[in-house]
Amino acid sequence: PEDLELLRQAHHFAEYSEVIYGGIQKFVHDNAHVSEETEANGAFMDTDENVGLDELVRDCFASTYLVYLQYRQSSINHTPYAIIVDKKIRSVVITIRGSASLEDMAVDLQLSPASFRGDQFCHSGVLARAQWIYDDIEHNKILDSMLIGDDAAYPDYNLVIGGHSLGAGCAALLSIMLHDKFPGLKCFAFCPPGGLLSHDLAVGCKDYVISFINSADIVPRLSYENMERLRDDALDVLSRIRVSKSKVLTIISKAQDDKDLAYINSLLLYGRDEVPRDTKFYHQLQEFKNAQEERKASSSATYVPLFPPGKIVYVAKRKLGYKPQWADNADFNEILLSSTLAQDHSILTVIKNLKDIIEDFGTDSKDRFDDEEEDDAEKVDILQEHSASIIETPSFVWCSRPHGNVFIVPVILGIISFVLTFLTNNTCAFVSRLSLVSDKEVGNAMIISNPGIGVSTGLWSFQQKMYSGSGPKDDPSSYNATNLCLPYPSFVEPDQYLTTARICGTLAALLGGFTIVFMAFASCVRYRRIPWGAITAALFLTVLFEGLVFLFLRSDLCNTWQGTFDDGVSHKVESQCTLGWGGNMGIAAVVMWTITASATIYYPPPLSEAELAMKWLKM
């Protein structure tokens, strides 16, 4: 029950960490709560419960009121945050925004440790942000007026601090700064930076800081030491390769079963004591390592291992979903190269996973958290299970064709369709126009630079014709076509039909091309039914756009229109259009896009993990 309640609280406060990315700021502005004065100061304060957040249409924001919003644009030391009263759970909530600007990223990259509270260290960039928030709160006496003293507005409320990513790091440090003053506070840090606190500081705040790390999320594993370790491991593996690099790439491009890794590695790599020491690369590697050691020894910079903060809940990815388990601060000392390392960092992914875990929680014994009160032998088993759970089967393997070969057919059809669409859009021979210009002498020794006799025309240009020098000037056979396509003259103004045809042609090319690229990735990743259905819908929409290109035939260029030519005189032009080779290409494009879309209606089910493993081992 305690574990389930913790998960429910985490899911509740994760919503706050998501909405601070812009939802609250937009709500305040849209509802005209911000005056010109507060806009200039970059802060909004209302302690009279005038700004209810119920209209954000989320269950967690029922009976909540915005007390303070700092929405000053991010700089190196400033970041938006909000203080909210949650009457439903009787808490005052501080929620801090994570990385959302170039300045935030610059702070993220300040990995060098800074001294904090005596002999302890922390992430220097996060410390500057947290200190600014602390000073801002103390300057405005916000928490004091809400929680402390006889006149406190909410004396029996709990203080909860939360954030995501960079905001989680700020929340953890701010909690440490405020803990002496508010000993009952709780902090929920979602996907915090890995290189945040020195070990004693990270462990010392376990009573009130709880971090949630989601599967292969890269941010809780990003630290100076981990990136150095990743670099050194990669160079070490390169020095141990015993076969050609092309063979290595061929093998590692296919997912392998864990039980086969040791044997495969023995075929590809020398043992650590067997590495040839007479190669040029080995000598260069040793020189590089020695140079790094000398740089560290001569540098005045402080090298201290930093860890994620507090008590850690690791949301591990299993075959049947995500499962929570307790983890140690030192468990995240290596970067996992996974296709989901960025997606797992999203606060929306965290919220979804927590919701799914809560719904499935308690269905069997494996769904419960590991018990911290187990004896030493049981703890060893738990650690081994945790270490094994971090090893994930990659979901992106180049040319593994997890859907089989069925998807290749619509990809090839789509490429042909795209080429036809491209030719249709860019040719100057979409139609052949036979025009009669009234009240104007037709034909002379000049190049015909306006709609004239038998001119081939496209969506954006027309084909230039020259008088041959013989024959009647009003006879179409007296003019010879050139290979030059010219843009429409200035007196030809596109009407609604021509404009629509141009837009639809462009959309057909963009949407169709993007969809084909997305579908081609089925050679490497497994798509679920919904993304595959989106591909089908996008292709049928492309058919519609390509078909609407033929609205060109309803335009003035293919009918009767009145226009003023370069001579300044208004003329009446009567035109008849017949499809040229470009128009026939357009018909072929519509047919091919329709066939392509129809071919994707069938969803090719992906192979199972076991089937893929067998297939990759045989490839």
Side-chain angles (χ1 to χ4, degrees), residues 36-57:
E36 293 183 1
E37 180 181 356
T38 56
E39 181 77 35
N41 294 333
F44 166 81
M45 184 183 298
D46 188 324
T47 59
D48 296 327
E49 299 183 0
N50 292 321
V51 185
L53 301 180
D54 305 58
E55 295 182 26
L56 286 176
V57 195

Side-chain angles (χ1 to χ4, degrees), residues 222-497:
L222 276 183
S223 66
Y224 185 84
E225 293 75 21
N226 284 358
M227 288 192 289
E228 277 198 332
R229 188 178 294 110
L230 178 63
R231 177 203 65 195
D232 293 342
D233 288 346
L235 293 175
D236 178 64
V237 169
L238 285 175
S239 70
R240 295 171 55 198
I241 294 176
R242 66 163 78 226
V243 297
S244 66
K245 305 298 188 295
S246 61
K247 289 184 179 179
V248 173
L249 291 175
T250 301
I251 294 175
I252 67 175
S253 66
K254 309 165 191 173
Q256 310 294 349
D257 196 291
D258 291 347
K259 67 181 184 331
D260 299 320
L261 290 179
Y263 174 69
I264 294 173
N265 286 342
S266 68
L267 297 178
L268 300 180
L269 305 175
Y270 289 107
R272 295 186 182 276
D273 298 331
E274 302 172 351
V275 179
R277 287 168 167 72
D278 56 352
T279 65
K280 181 179 179 181
F281 181 80
Y282 181 84
H283 290 298
Q284 291 176 336
L285 179 58
Q286 295 306 310
E287 291 176 1
F288 174 79
K289 289 181 176 180
N290 293 334
Q292 292 300 311
E293 291 298 329
E294 292 176 2
R295 179 181 63 82
K296 283 187 177 182
S298 60
S299 174
S300 59
T302 303
Y303 292 90
V304 178
L306 300 178
F307 303 87
K311 198 173 184 180
I312 295 179
V313 176
Y314 176 63
V315 182
K317 186 176 183 180
R318 310 281 191 173
K319 289 185 178 181
L320 299 179
Y322 290 87
K323 306 295 179 185
Q325 58 190 54
W326 296 113
D328 189 80
N329 303 75
D331 284 347
F332 304 92
N333 60 353
E334 61 182 1
I335 296 174
L336 299 183
L337 300 181
S338 168
S339 61
T340 62
L341 55 81
Q343 176 185 343
D344 287 340
H345 185 62
S346 168
I347 185 62
L348 296 177
T349 303
V350 174
I351 293 173
K352 179 184 180 300
N353 290 346
L354 287 174
K355 181 180 179 181
D356 292 342
I357 290 171
I358 292 170
E359 292 175 352
D360 297 339
F361 198 87
T363 55
D364 56 61
S365 60
K366 293 181 181 179
D367 285 336
R368 296 194 297 271
F369 280 94
D370 296 331
D371 193 345
E372 289 188 304
E373 301 302 325
E374 296 167 337
D375 57 33
D376 292 341
E378 290 175 325
K379 286 183 178 179
V380 172
D381 293 337
I382 290 170
L383 180 59
Q384 291 174 346
E385 179 185 353
H386 170 65
S387 300
S389 70
I390 294 181
I391 301 175
E392 301 180 5
T393 302
S395 58
F396 184 96
V397 181
W398 184 255
C399 294
S400 58
R401 299 192 300 279
H403 290 275
N405 297 323
V406 177
F407 79 96
I408 297 177
V409 174
V411 169
I412 294 175
L413 293 173
I415 294 174
I416 297 174
S417 305
F418 178 80
V419 172
L420 293 172
T421 294
F422 180 82
L423 293 175
T424 302
N425 289 347
N426 292 280
T427 180
C428 58
F430 186 80
V431 296
S432 178
R433 297 177 61 246
L434 183 61
S435 302
L436 175 63
V437 182
S438 302
D439 302 322
K440 178 177 174 67
E441 181 181 354
V442 179
N444 49 47
M446 297 175 61
I447 297 174
I448 297 177
S449 59
N450 54 53
I453 299 175
V455 176
S456 294
T457 309
L459 296 178
W460 303 93
S461 59
F462 68 96
Q463 188 178 39
Q464 184 187 45
K465 278 196 171 184
M466 300 259 322
Y467 179 54
S468 63
S470 62
K473 293 184 178 181
D474 58 353
D475 185 355
S477 62
S478 301
Y479 294 86
N480 298 324
T482 68
N483 294 323
L484 184 62
C485 290
L486 298 176
Y488 286 127
S490 58
F491 58 78
V492 178
E493 297 183 359
D495 61 2
Q496 58 183 351
Y497 293 108

